[in-house]
Amino acid sequence: MSSRRVFQILERATPFLSMDSMDAQAFFAAVARDTAESTPSSHALTQPCVVALSQLGAIGVEGPDALTFLHAQLTNDVLHQTPEQARLSGFCSHKGRLFAVFVQRRLPTESPPGVVLHVERELAASITKRLSMYVLRSKVRVTDLSNTRVSFGITFPVGTTGPIDSLPEPFACRYDNDMATIRLPDALGVERYLVDVPVENAQSLWTTWSSSASIQPASWWDLTQIHAGLARVTNATVERFVPQMVNFELVGGVNFRKGCYPGQEVVARSQYLGKLRRRMFLARVDGLHSLNPGTDIWTQGQAVGAVVDAAPNLHGGVDALIETTWADSESELSVEGRAVVLHALPYEVPKESSAT
């Protein structure tokens, strides 16, 4: 689809909005007319691609106490983070169950300091409200940025060039004025970049990128996230998983030396005193075109786990991240009556044993 076609749609969809007044929802709604119902094409493996990430929102935390406030709430270090390095982090209940997971980036400004948390759009409002409950006397403001910022996913084959300049390693972060670019772990043979911009710049950047890259649906980004082994939390799975159940400490999302945060005792006890019996696995399911997070995984007539995330693959089926026990992972698993076939994740998952 050409960029000219996209903007013909945008003009019809929002004739009352200027470039400066269009919000993120209007931009995504227009782009979704051509991409929402499609599945990724095999071209995504061999060509530069751009994706409008309508599934992602953002939360801004800014103020003199922003760093110390967030450091006491999230599973990862905030105080010692630099603007050049993004991180994964989680926000837990007091029972150690994840309310949300974030891609966390430090703003380059120091006066006042600030952090942006990239999160599922459907959770942004509720997480903004929940974080705000902990502010108390802290000099900090928590803001839902989901309608004023737009996120894009850009992918291109490893070792080639794409519509943006490469970054050297996963979680490296670069700022170009108001545009933030984060390299995420490679998957399916492609480099992956999360790019976040003010909504007023979204259309011009989309025009530029889509002229030299293949437009892919949001499910392409979801598929690469799945093959990178990176879990997400949605409305269906809020408070369902302790971080280790979705391998969050294995991908750098938990810092066990940073001190207290809600649920920290449960997370630490699971790591050091117990056995990590429940883990996340990569799976393929043929014969389905979609699969919802939270759907039960079955073996021998019993529900033994849940779908963490799923997306249509390039072979007519679904690839998914599922959570279950090590013991049940060695059984015949099914979901919605279809066989579940496990595949290797891109990182090693220690087999059920005492945590160390």
Side-chain angles (χ1 to χ4, degrees), residues 72-107:
Q73 303 302 324
L74 305 184
T75 61
N76 215 335
D77 187 297
V78 180
L79 285 177
H80 303 100
Q81 182 178 8
T82 68
E84 293 76 30
Q85 195 72 24
R87 290 175 177 166
L88 298 175
S89 63
F91 182 35
C92 294
S93 71
H94 288 286
K95 295 181 179 180
R97 303 272 169 161
L98 286 163
F99 287 128
V101 297
F102 311 113
V103 175
Q104 162 189 315
R105 61 179 171 91
R106 172 95 176 259
L107 294 175

Side-chain angles (χ1 to χ4, degrees), residues 8-19 21-22 26 33:
Q8 287 174 343
I9 296 170
L10 285 167
E11 289 169 1
R12 290 199 304 269
T14 55
F16 55 94
L17 291 174
S18 68
M19 292 284 198
S21 63
M22 178 177 287
R33 296 187 179 197

Side-chain angles (χ1 to χ4, degrees), residues 139-151:
K139 296 177 181 178
V140 62
R141 182 177 62 180
V142 184
T143 308
D144 185 351
L145 304 176
S146 301
N147 257 344
T148 59
R149 309 270 320 171
V150 169
S151 290

